[in-house]
Amino acid sequence: MDRRSPLPSLNSIRAFEATGRLLSVSKAANELAVTPAAVSRQVKTLESFLGVALFERVKGRLELTSAGARYLAELMPFFAGLRQATDSIRTAGRRSQVLKIRCPATFAVRWLIPRLASFHRQHEDVDVQLTTSSAPLNFEREDIDGGIQLGDGNWPGLSAQRLIPNELIPVAAPSRKVRARSRLQGETLLHSLARADDWALWMKAAGFALDGRRREMRYETSLLAYQAAIEGHGVAIAQKALVRAELDSGQLVAPFRLELDRGAYTYYFAWPATRRQSAALTTFRDWLVSLVQTAGTF
C-alpha cells in the first residue's frame, strides 16, 4: 500500500510557478498558452489542496503570501531541472555546450534568472544548467563548471569576478510607515539566516543600539525575508541591488539614508583557477563581466 502523501496536479503547480515568478496571471497565461481564467482556476485548486492562500492583492498588485513565497522558492529548482532535462532531449541532435552553474537561491531569483533570457538569445549554442544552494563551492566534489558565492572573493584555488555592490539598507512596505526618527524602536526586524550579521553591522554603523525592544523574525533565505517585507511583516535588511525593482516600483521604501557598503564582501562568480576552461564557461563569464560594466545594470 502506498502511504506517501498525495501530490497536487502538475497543471496547478505549473500555473502557480508561472504566476508566482511573473507576479501576473495574464503573463502566466500567455507563457502557458491558456486563458487567464484557466490559470486562476488552477491556482485556486492548488490553494484548496494545500489549505493556504498563495497570493493576495496589495493595492491592485498581485503579491505572494509568506507561504506562497516559500513554496515558490522550493519549486523553482525542480522546474529549472525539468526545463533543463527537456532542453537536453530537444537539443540532443544539435551541437550544444552544457554549462553547469550553482548559485544561491536569492541571487538566482532576484538577479541572475531575470537576465538569463538575454544570454540565451545571444548564445543559443550554450545550455545553462542552473542549480541553487548557499553551501560553499566545492569543485572537487561537485559536477559544476562555475558558481556564484557570497564572500570576499579570496578563495584558495579559485578565480573570482565581482558581480554586484553590497550596499545594505533597511526596507519596508510603505504601509508600515517606518519613520527614520524612530531609530527602529518597536519595529519587527526581518533577518536572513544566510546573512545573520547584516542587521548588526548596519545598526552599529547607524549608531542604533540592538536591544530587546525590537521584535525579530528569521527566515532561511534573504528571498523569504524580502518577500515578508513586501507583505508588510516588518523591516528587512536588504542588499540594495537585489531589491532595486521593488524600490523603483514603490513596493518597498528605504526609510533611512544610510547605505552600508560592505566593499569587497559581496557576490562573486567563481571557477577553478587551474582547470582548463571550456568555451561555454568563457562565454558565460564574459557575459557576466559585460553586465557588471554596463551602466544601469543594477
Side-chain angles (χ1 to χ4, degrees), residues 1 36 42 68-69 114 121-122 156 167 171 184 221 227 231 251 262 268 272 292:
M1 181 177 178
Q42 291 292 349
R121 286 193 297 269
Q122 297 171 40
E167 298 165 335
V171 295
L184 291 170
T221 66
Q227 187 62 39
E231 295 180 15
Q251 289 178 277
R262 297 203 61 189
Y268 290 80
V292 172

Side-chain angles (χ1 to χ4, degrees), residues 177-185 202 208 254-257:
K177 299 181 180 179
V178 178
R179 307 299 182 189
R181 62 177 178 270
S182 72
R183 299 173 68 87
L184 291 170
Q185 296 294 341
W202 188 90
F208 293 179
F256 301 89
R257 292 184 178 181

Side-chain angles (χ1 to χ4, degrees), residues 74-147:
E74 293 173 350
L75 285 176
M76 287 188 73
F78 293 102
F79 273 87
L82 286 171
R83 293 188 182 98
Q84 291 160 8
T86 302
D87 289 343
S88 67
I89 295 298
R90 294 179 64 187
T91 61
R94 294 181 288 171
R95 296 182 62 184
S96 62
Q97 305 172 74
V98 175
L99 184 65
K100 299 178 181 179
I101 302 296
R102 181 159 73 72
C103 178
T106 297
F107 192 87
V109 172
R110 294 215 155 246
W111 196 89
L112 184 57
I113 290 176
R115 292 166 170 80
L116 271 181
S118 69
F119 177 81
H120 291 143
R121 286 193 297 269
Q122 297 171 40
H123 307 285
E124 295 182 354
D125 59 331
V126 179
D127 294 334
V128 178
Q129 295 185 1
L130 181 64
T131 56
T132 61
S133 173
S134 296
L137 296 169
N138 188 327
F139 290 95
E140 297 299 322
R141 297 181 180 179
E142 297 180 84
D143 182 21
I144 55 175
D145 300 297

Side-chain angles (χ1 to χ4, degrees), residues 16 43-44 46-48 50-56 63-71 231:
F16 164 70
V43 170
K44 289 185 182 298
L46 181 60
E47 289 179 323
S48 177
L50 297 174
V52 296
L54 300 173
F55 295 100
E56 61 182 351
E63 301 291 349
L64 288 158
T65 62
S66 294
R70 184 170 63 252
Y71 196 39
E231 295 180 15

